[in-house]
């Protein structure tokens, strides 16, 4: 019973009149229910969340959402957020269990059922973020499989299972090329790593792609090839990924 | 193969393949695997390779100096032959690469349901459109993805959801093809063509992706 009270008291649906008009991506509220038990803080919406200081600890789903946005914006594979994904997954699992047990409990009131629907919706959204995050990475891994297999330095950002997928996937594709094309050609032409006229056959991530960045804190002066910019908190710029990759890695700026 | 046809330039067939790929991208549809063109290009490559080898043989007894001085036409010919052969190869690979990525995309779009994609996608399935090697590829790819998603399966099936953020728990759907008896959280539901239901999105996600149900606003 204590778990149930915890859950319901932390939801605070009643305090929140703007519920229906909330943006669909509302990452903090779900985890707030699980972590922030018993508080009466209203739900935070995405803008407030973005405005949060970098040093206040974020909940797992907010972190995952940020990783997901960054992953979809970045041309290269960013670091795999395994701990965050695990945390969100176990939260989803836990919430699903609680919801199930409350749903089948006859003593739940109508109002509680309504609150349950909100929790379930949030759980579905969390699942969506996980799925989209994993698949955004997967599509990059498959696109650059040959590059990943050939460059051990790129392995650090991949999870074990992603790396093994990259290897197996490239073996599969290579085998397909051999069977369908290359074995019909003269022996001298069967390579897959030609480097004709400076054009490599390997697909590499294009680090010169432009990305939108936003500073999460005051970064100060940043030297770009053409000019230096003063990067203050919440400033947005459109820059080459290559020029700011070190800032993204340090967490000073985020991709939007 | 004695010689290439007179009215035909080297790499013409290869360019046709590339145009096909381009058309496939623009219309986002999959075309028949063009086995005949592939064979023709491969034959052309082997023919070119023979020509290159005999040209090299003819030139190899000349020293570098006299080669540059006296035999510019043969050198130019050799360059053209080599470039044509390489271009053929790249076009072949590009064609196959494009098809593989198209197949993967279709696989994900069908909710990772291979049998459905092969036999029922858009009515007749894609089995008739692909080469035996591509069928092998799809099968292996499907098993790779099954392996990849298994650690997540307790919580989410990353292949079943469409990539649209969910707005509501429940959606109103119309049945566009008989789907039979489906087990949902609220008990089994029999989906018959023409009927409308209000169901939990998570229960019918797969049916939506595969085109049995249609969302009604």
């Amino acid at each position: 019973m204590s778990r149930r009270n915890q859950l319901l008291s932390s939801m605070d649906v009643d305090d929140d009149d703007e519920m229906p008009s909330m943006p669909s991506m509302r990452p903090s509220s779900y985890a707030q229910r699980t972590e922030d038990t018993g508080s009466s803080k209203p739900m935070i919406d995405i803008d407030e969340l973005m405005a949060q200081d970098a040093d206040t600890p974020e909940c797992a789903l907010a972190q995952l959402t940020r990783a997901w946005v960054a992953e979809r914006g970045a041309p290269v594979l960013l670091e795999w957020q395994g701990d965050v994904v695990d945390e969100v997954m176990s939260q989803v699992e836990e919430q699903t269990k609680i919801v199930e047990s409350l749903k089948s409990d006859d003593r739940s009131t109508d109002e509680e059922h309504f609150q349950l629907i909100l929790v379930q919706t949030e759980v579905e959204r969390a699942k969506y973020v996980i799925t989209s995050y994993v698949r955004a990475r997967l599509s990059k891994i498959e696109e650059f499989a040959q590059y990943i297999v050939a460059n051990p330095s790129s392995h650090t950002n991949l999870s074990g299972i992603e790396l093994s997928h990259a290897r197996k996937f490239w073996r599969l594709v290579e085998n397909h090329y051999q069977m369908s094309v290359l074995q019909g050609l003269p022996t001298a032409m069967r390579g897959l790593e030609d480097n004709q006229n400076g054009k490599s056959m390997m697909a590499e991530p294009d680090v010169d792609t432009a990305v939108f960045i936003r500073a999460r804190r005051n970064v100060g002066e940043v030297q770009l090839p053409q000019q230096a910019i003063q990067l203050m908190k919440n400033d947005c710029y459109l820059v080459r990924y290559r020029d700011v990759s070190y800032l993204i890695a340090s967490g000073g700026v985020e991709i939007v | 193969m004695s010689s290439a046809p007179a009215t035909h330039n080297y790499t013409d067939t290869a360019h046709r393949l590339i145009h096909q790929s381009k058309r496939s991208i623009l219309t986002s549809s999959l075309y028949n695997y063009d086995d005949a063109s592939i064979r023709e290009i491969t034959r052309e490559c082997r023919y070119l390779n023979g020509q290159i080898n005999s040209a090299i043989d003819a030139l190899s007894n000349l020293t570098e100096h006299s080669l540059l001085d006296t035999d510019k036409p043969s050198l130019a010919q050799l360059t053209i032959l080599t470039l044509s052969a390489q271009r053929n190869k790249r076009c072949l690979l590009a064609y196959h690469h494009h098809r593989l990525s198209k197949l993967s995309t279709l696989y994900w779009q069908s909710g990772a349901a291979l049998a459905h994609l092969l036999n029922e996608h858009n009515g007749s399935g894609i089995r008739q459109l692909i080469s035996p090697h591509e069928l092998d590829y799809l099968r292996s790819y499907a098993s790779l993805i099954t392996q990849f998603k298994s650690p997540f399966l307790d919580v989410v099936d990353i292949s079943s959801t469409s990539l649209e953020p969910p707005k509501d728990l429940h959606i109103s759907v119309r049945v566009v093809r008989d789907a039979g008896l489906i087990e949902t959280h609220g008990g089994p539901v029999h989906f018959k063509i023409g009927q409308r239901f209000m169901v939990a999105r998570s229960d019918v996600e797969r049916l939506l992706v595969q085109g049995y149900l249609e969302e009604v606003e």
Side-chain angles (χ1 to χ4, degrees), chain B residues 10-22:
Chain B
Y10 300 135
T11 74
D12 272 1
T13 325
H15 285 169
R16 240 188 6 246
L17 272 192
I18 297 301
H19 281 297
Q20 261 191 47
S21 301
K22 184 88 183 165

Side-chain angles (χ1 to χ4, degrees), chain B:
Chain B
M1 187 84 195
S2 53
S3 73
T7 53
H8 177 100
N9 286 326
Y10 300 135
T11 74
D12 272 1
T13 325
H15 285 169
R16 240 188 6 246
L17 272 192
I18 297 301
H19 281 297
Q20 261 191 47
S21 301
K22 184 88 183 165
R23 208 162 59 230
S24 157
I25 293 171
L26 292 177
T27 59
S28 65
S29 50
L30 185 71
Y31 293 111
N32 247 324
Y33 185 74
D34 193 350
D35 207 24
S37 299
I38 310 268
R39 271 175 223 266
E40 196 180 323
I41 299 167
T42 324
R43 236 183 358 246
E44 191 178 286
C45 274
R46 285 200 295 265
Y47 167 76
L48 284 169
N49 193 53
Q51 296 283 300
I52 291 169
N53 284 341
S54 49
I56 291 177
D57 283 347
L59 291 173
S60 61
N61 47 4
L62 298 172
T63 64
E64 195 180 328
H65 183 71
S66 60
L67 187 92
L68 286 172
D69 258 1
T70 59
D71 209 1
K72 282 189 178 139
S74 316
L75 269 184
Q77 193 199 11
L78 185 59
T79 312
I80 288 174
L81 291 173
T82 319
L83 287 179
S84 302
Q86 278 161 0
R87 173 167 292 229
N88 273 339
K89 173 184 167 186
R90 292 298 288 261
C91 290
L92 280 175
L93 286 173
Y95 177 76
H96 284 85
H97 175 80
H98 165 69
R99 287 185 64 92
L100 288 194
S101 38
K102 183 74 199 165
L103 290 177
S104 307
T105 312
L106 284 173
Y107 174 74
W108 284 103
Q109 279 172 357
S110 69
L114 188 57
H116 174 267
L117 175 65
L118 288 175
N119 300 320
E120 291 166 58
H121 179 78
N122 281 349
S124 59
I126 61 164
R127 196 188 284 270
Q128 306 305 320
L129 302 176
I130 60 177
S131 76
H133 289 313
E134 284 173 333
L135 185 59
D136 288 347
Y137 166 83
L138 261 182
R139 290 214 168 105
S140 319
Y141 184 70
S143 78
L144 277 191
I145 293 301
T146 312
Q147 273 177 37
F148 183 84
K149 73 182 181 183
S150 61
F152 302 97
L153 270 185
D154 287 346
V155 181
V156 277
D157 181 351
I158 58 160
S159 61
S160 78
T161 35
S162 56
L163 283 180
E164 290 290 316
K167 289 204 180 68
D168 279 307
L169 271 189
H170 293 90
I171 51 169
S172 171
V173 294
R174 189 175 54 218
V175 185
V176 282
R177 280 167 56 201
D178 279 330
L181 199 64
I182 304 290
E183 199 64 45
T184 69
H185 280 103
V189 178
H190 199 98
F191 288 101
K192 272 198 205 136
I193 193 159
Q195 289 175 323
R196 281 195 174 202
F197 290 97
M198 188 74 177
V199 282
R201 175 179 274 280
S202 54
D203 281 340
V204 297
E205 191 85 61
R206 194 171 278 277
L207 295 173
L208 277 173
V209 169
Q210 293 179 3
Y212 285 98
L213 306 181
E214 225 174 52
E215 192 171 348
V216 188
E217 290 301 322

